[in-house]
């Protein structure tokens, strides 16, 4: 649902559920700063592929809204920028979304790349990785339910309880391509979520993640590999992705029909149905 006009979200979610899609991935962007002091890490030239007029929705609010209109399809952030957020406040939001959707929600998490998003939200950019590691611990602790306390370097609180806790475990999908991000995913994640990658890079990264999971004693635990592959498409392409270990393909069906992100919702719904007929049913 990246870059989609907000008034289309619910209709598209209903259609995706009807057509057998398993999940809806929701991206995150806090704001568009006129100037940015770091390169975007997932384009060749470091430029952003959106501008100040591109529509974004808070992914947690979007999941709650679409969850109210659907019954089975799941939602996850891909990925939420944790570095600029307070994990105690975020735990309240995640727990609410999980309960309101009937535990059809997964939390994709990344550090964040833009210094402005940290600093303008009152969080230092420096030592962001260590801060995120603690934030993940805080989220896990609070979402597990009951009276809990935490005393770390970055976050510190005495006993508290947020009720109701999610009835089921909220999966955490860790994003990022760097070695620290892969280690974080292997150590604490229920899965890993890629940005735009070629198949050969996905193959190497999945192999690295499996090696790290073995290193952390987690090789036998369930784990998802969510991929945005930019050089393999169609039925054969998705089979190739599965062969290298991809478990979940993140795709935008209407792009394959030459439609822009601002295309009419009925055309997008037709693309979803076409993708379901040509790929999902045959796969």
């Amino acid at each position: 649902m990246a870059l989609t006009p907000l008034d289309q979200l619910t209709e598209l979610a209903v259609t995706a559920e009807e057509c057998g899609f398993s999940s809806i991935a929701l991206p995150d962007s806090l704001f568009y700063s006129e100037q940015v002091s770091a390169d975007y890490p997932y384009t060749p030239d470091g430029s952003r592929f959106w501008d100040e007029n591109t529509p974004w929705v808070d992914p947690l609010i979007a999941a709650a809204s679409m969850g109210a209109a659907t019954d089975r399809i799941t939602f996850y952030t891909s990925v939420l920028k944790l570095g600029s957020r307070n994990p105690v406040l975020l735990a309240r939001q995640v727990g609410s979304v999980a309960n309101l959707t009937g535990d059809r929600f997964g939390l994709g998490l990344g550090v964040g790349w833009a210094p402005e998003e940290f600093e303008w939200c009152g969080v230092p950019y420096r030592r962001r990785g260590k801060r995120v590691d603690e934030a993940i611990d805080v989220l896990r602790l609070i979402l597990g339910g009951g009276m809990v306390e935490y005393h770390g370097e970055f976050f510190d609180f005495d006993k508290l309880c947020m009720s109701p806790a999610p009835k089921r475990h909220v999966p955490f999908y860790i994003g990022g391509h760097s070695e620290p991000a892969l280690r974080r995913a292997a150590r604490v994640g229920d899965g890993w979520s890629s940005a735009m990658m070629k198949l050969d890079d996905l193959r190497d990264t999945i192999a690295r993640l499996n090696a790290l999971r073995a290193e952390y004693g987690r090789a036998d635990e369930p784990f998802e590999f969510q991929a945005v592959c930019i050089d393999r498409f169609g039925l054969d392409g998705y089979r190739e992705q599965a062969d290298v270990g991809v478990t979940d393909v993140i795709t935008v069906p209407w792009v394959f029909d030459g439609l822009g992100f601002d295309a009419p919702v009925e055309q997008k719904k037709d693309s979803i149905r076409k993708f379901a007929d040509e790929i999902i049913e045959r796969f």
Side-chain angles (χ1 to χ4, degrees):
M1 293 293 185
L3 317 184
T4 299
L6 275 57
D7 60 358
Q8 296 183 357
L9 291 174
T10 298
E11 283 191 66
L12 294 175
V14 170
T15 302
E17 180 174 82
E18 292 171 348
C19 290
F21 283 76
S22 63
S23 305
I24 291 174
L26 297 163
D28 178 43
S29 180
L30 290 174
F31 51 76
Y32 185 92
S33 58
E34 185 176 31
Q35 301 292 328
V36 66
S37 55
D39 288 341
Y40 180 65
Y42 304 117
T43 56
D45 63 357
S47 65
R48 295 172 284 182
F49 57 84
W50 64 96
D51 61 27
E52 67 272 22
N53 297 311
T54 302
W56 294 87
V57 64
D58 184 288
L60 297 167
I61 294 174
S65 176
M66 291 186 286
T70 55
D71 298 309
R72 300 177 308 280
I73 199 165
T74 62
F75 308 92
Y76 63 89
T77 54
S78 181
V79 290
L80 191 83
K81 298 173 182 177
L82 181 56
S84 51
R85 287 176 164 90
N86 180 289
V88 178
L89 295 176
L90 182 59
R92 171 77 286 168
Q93 295 170 309
V94 172
S96 297
V97 174
N99 277 288
L100 290 171
T101 59
D103 292 296
R104 291 184 287 134
F105 183 70
L107 188 61
L109 294 169
V111 175
W113 63 276
E116 287 76 12
E117 286 193 335
F118 288 77
E119 293 161 4
W120 297 353
C121 289
V123 180
Y125 189 61
R126 180 177 170 273
R127 304 193 68 203
R128 56 196 178 278
K130 293 292 186 182
R131 179 182 294 272
V132 161
D133 286 337
E134 271 201 16
I136 290 173
D137 291 342
V138 169
L139 285 167
R140 284 273 196 222
L141 186 67
I142 295 175
L143 291 172
M147 193 68 68
V148 298
E149 62 183 300
Y150 188 88
H151 304 286
E153 179 181 357
F154 301 101
F155 305 102
D156 186 272
F157 53 86
D158 293 329
K159 289 185 177 181
L160 60 80
C161 177
M162 289 189 184
S163 183
K167 296 180 181 63
R168 292 196 291 270
H169 169 77
V170 175
F172 285 10
Y173 308 121
I174 308 300
H177 298 175
S178 68
E179 179 70 9
L182 299 182
R183 285 191 170 276
R184 185 177 295 115
R187 188 177 67 253
V188 301
D190 299 286
W192 169 75
S193 187
S194 87
M196 296 165 284
M197 299 182 78
K198 293 183 177 180
L199 184 71
D200 289 345
D201 295 327
L202 274 170
R203 180 187 291 110
D204 293 344
T205 303
I206 289 172
R208 178 60 179 156
L209 279 162
N210 284 330
L212 290 170
R213 291 172 62 224
E215 179 182 321
Y216 290 117
R218 303 188 64 215
D220 296 329
E221 296 180 18
F223 196 86
E224 295 181 28
F225 296 95
Q226 303 165 346
V228 181
C229 184
I230 61 174
D231 65 348
R232 294 295 191 280
F233 308 105
L235 190 61
D236 290 340
Y238 296 128
R239 285 174 173 158
E240 285 187 82
Q241 292 187 46
D243 287 342
V244 304
V246 172
T247 61
D248 295 79
V249 170
I250 301 175
T251 188
V252 184
W254 46 89
V255 169
F256 299 117
D257 293 326
L259 299 175
F261 289 98
D262 59 349
V265 69
E266 291 301 327
Q267 292 183 23
K268 290 181 178 178
K269 289 161 67 174
D270 287 342
S271 292
I272 290 173
R273 297 184 185 106
K274 178 182 175 183
F275 188 94
D277 290 342
E278 295 181 353
I279 303 298
I280 295 176
E281 289 297 325
R282 297 172 64 191
F283 196 88

